[in-house]
Amino acid sequence: MGLALAAVAVAVTTSGCSVDEVLRFGWPVGVTPEATQMRTLWTWSAVAALVVGVLVWGATAWTVAFHRRRAGASDLPRQFQYNLPLELVLTVIPLIIVAVLFYFTVVVQNVVDRNAQGNELQIQVTGFQWNWEFTYPQTPGPNGLPASVVGTTESVPILVLPTDRPIQFTQESKDVIHSFWVPEFLFKRDVIPDPAANDQKNTWVIDRIERPGAFVGRCAEFCGAYHSMMNFEVRALPPAQFDQFLQLRTQINPQTGQGFTTNEALATLNCGELCNPESITTRVINPDPTAQLAVR
């Protein structure tokens, strides 16, 4: 027992983990209020499970140590299956635990799955084999169509979003089921074809992104041969820079004679790493199926 406790203490202290990192149980740091609530729910659910586990392990060890069959004994140990008070306790306590977990789960779920209020920035998410299209319905481009960005085999699509502003996402697939997943959001959303016919609520909101940054996004639903290459990037800019970005998306790029693309608008903003015109959290992967072979 002493050796086991020493091993745990050494593992924790030498790994450099802070108390916050230990309590996150491996979850990344979220960047939205919803992510924080979900992580908190997960943390305390895990703590409750560990407490119950310690009690069960302790009771098991105590029984094995002090109520094992003695040498030469022929009688059965004392039986408890008809002990009504004990059976009531062992029934009521799990019911209370489940009810408490259910309550807090519903509270967080109601926040995460709430309806839009109408004041959010609208984003249309479209998944297709094997990439993404992100559209800004409220921002018309020079051609009269909503500004958008489409991923290709040469370019990772960058979804530029503001910090400190509510955002509404509406999603749909053009073919098979995909899944919109940004690890720092701490949840994923299945993107399915024809959401109305399939009875899916395909609109969801986040209250805000709490800090600027670049966050990798992935498809988290196996969707075919090139599923693993279906990455994107969320680029969160401060509100003033985001407004400048959207303004550029409505204008003609004098160098090309066409509307500013996402990459061109970011390059024009020239705000440092966050305005890098190419993805900085992931990269384009060669779709040639022989490109990754160890032996050619």
Side-chain angles (χ1 to χ4, degrees), residues 37-74:
Q37 290 195 44
M38 285 185 287
R39 198 270 300 163
T40 301
L41 174 64
W42 163 258
T43 293
W44 290 109
S45 297
V47 168
L50 286 173
V51 170
V52 172
V54 167
L55 293 175
V56 172
W57 299 330
T60 302
W62 180 76
T63 301
V64 170
F66 298 103
H67 293 274
R68 65 186 185 275
R69 183 174 180 176
R70 306 297 178 181
S74 59

Side-chain angles (χ1 to χ4, degrees), residues 28 43-44 46 53 65 85 98 104 141 155 168 196 202 204 209 211 227 247 250 256 267 278:
T43 293
W44 290 109
V98 170
F104 285 108
S155 178
Q168 171 187 317
N202 67 324
W204 49 280
I209 299 176
R211 61 179 174 86
H227 156 73
Q247 184 61 34
T250 67
T256 64
E278 300 298 334

